[in-house]
Amino acid sequence: MKGIVDRFEGDYAVIEIDGQTQDVSKSIVEVSVKVGDVVTLVEGVWKSSHTETEQREKKIKKLMDDVWED
């Protein structure tokens, strides 16, 4: 299962999974995970996928550059 970390609220991480947000206990989220990371559920723990996060960031940057191009 994959998702994107939307935000942290108290003891929960809010993760968007298939267009729906889900509150997940921070106790099962890897400490290094940050907002905007693509995460994968591996053996009951949400872990950051660095490669997919970088790809997502590049795609978003390109879209923003296209929108704001002079």
Side-chain angles (χ1 to χ4, degrees):
M1 182 180 307
K2 291 186 183 181
I4 300 169
V5 178
D6 182 65
R7 63 188 178 277
F8 292 98
E9 292 183 351
D11 293 332
Y12 295 93
V14 180
I15 301 176
E16 181 182 328
I17 304 166
D18 296 327
Q20 301 281 330
T21 57
Q22 183 175 344
D23 293 347
V24 175
S25 174
K26 284 170 61 175
S27 66
I28 61 168
V29 177
E30 210 172 49
V31 176
S32 62
V33 170
K34 61 186 184 317
V35 172
D37 280 0
V38 176
V39 291
T40 305
L41 187 60
V42 178
E43 297 178 3
V45 177
W46 288 96
K47 298 182 178 192
S48 182
S49 173
H50 300 291
T51 303
E52 290 184 68
T53 298
E54 286 177 11
Q55 291 172 348
R56 181 175 179 271
E57 289 171 352
K58 286 178 184 177
K59 181 179 177 182
I60 291 170
K61 183 180 180 338
K62 183 181 179 336
L63 288 171
M64 293 297 290
D65 288 347
D66 290 347
V67 168
W68 297 108
E69 192 174 274
D70 289 337

